[in-house]
Amino acid sequence: MAQSMFKRLARKYIDLQHVLIILICAYLIFTSGSIFIGRSLRTNASFWDQSHVYLGLIGAFLSITFLITTSLKGKWRQYFPWLIGDFSQLKTDILGFFKGKIPIAGGRGLFSVVEGIGMLLFLAVGLTGIGWFATQGSSDALMWRDYHIHLAQALIGFIVVHAISACLHLLDFFRN
């Protein structure tokens, strides 16, 4: 009984992390056009600059904890099957996709691999943001900023693919 209660709490924690990630990412993406940070956060930085930096640091922490909590107890194999050389379900999903079949959710297939790539992108955005923050004032800060911006753009692309995948999953769910 205690184990099932722990599993329910762990699931709720992962769901809460997911909601927080969605909200923080949405805020950071939609306000990123208002950000004017170069080599360092100015002493008279705007609300938008400060909120981006500090919510970004929270997002970086969430990227680490989300990757860890979703990978516990061997679940990392679901999101990163290539690490163990298992491409069977991924191959089946990709071939089926080109034949008009919606990939199945879960397992080691296309949707799970896309989620794994998203977790790694989110982590990379967070780590480059931390790198940018930690090297403020130095010439390296602009290098980290450049990495951060490019990875954030890739993360936006992932979010679009993830949203399409979720819609396809819902379509499949309602069809059955």
Side-chain angles (χ1 to χ4, degrees):
M1 174 145 159
Q3 187 177 9
S4 69
M5 185 175 83
F6 177 74
K7 284 182 182 179
R8 283 195 309 265
L9 284 173
R11 184 72 230 155
K12 285 182 190 263
Y13 180 68
I14 290 172
D15 291 343
L16 175 64
Q17 282 179 312
H18 199 247
V19 169
L20 288 173
I21 288 167
I22 291 167
L23 294 173
I24 289 174
C25 282
Y27 179 83
L28 294 173
I29 289 167
F30 290 122
T31 61
S32 64
S34 306
I35 305 304
F36 297 106
I37 307 170
R39 195 179 300 250
S40 66
L41 185 63
R42 300 172 312 226
T43 54
N44 61 344
S46 71
F47 167 79
W48 302 112
D49 290 349
Q50 289 185 22
S51 65
H52 187 88
V53 168
Y54 296 113
L55 276 176
L57 290 172
I58 293 169
F61 173 75
L62 283 172
S63 74
I64 295 164
T65 60
F66 190 70
L67 181 64
I68 290 169
T69 56
T70 56
S71 298
L72 291 174
K73 296 188 178 182
K75 288 201 72 160
W76 62 270
R77 290 177 185 90
Q78 176 179 341
Y79 302 108
F80 312 108
W82 64 83
L83 292 175
I84 57 172
D86 183 359
F87 297 96
S88 58
Q89 188 175 347
L90 179 61
K91 180 181 171 186
T92 301
D93 282 355
I94 291 171
L95 292 174
F97 187 75
F98 286 112
K99 293 178 184 175
K101 295 179 183 175
I102 298 174
I104 61 170
R108 297 177 181 173
L110 184 60
F111 286 158
S112 295
V113 169
V114 166
E115 289 174 349
I117 291 168
M119 286 189 276
L120 293 177
L121 275 171
F122 185 44
L123 178 66
V125 170
L127 293 177
T128 56
I130 290 171
W132 184 11
F133 183 77
T135 59
Q136 285 186 78
S138 73
S139 59
D140 286 345
L142 294 176
M143 173 193 68
W144 284 107
R145 177 184 183 268
D146 192 48
Y147 293 151
H148 182 70
I149 289 170
H150 285 92
L151 287 164
Q153 291 169 340
L155 182 63
I156 292 168
F158 158 77
I159 290 169
V160 170
V161 170
H162 187 55
I164 291 168
S165 297
C167 290
L168 288 172
H169 175 63
L170 287 174
L171 176 67
D172 191 45
F173 176 76
F174 287 121
R175 262 199 230 160
N176 294 331

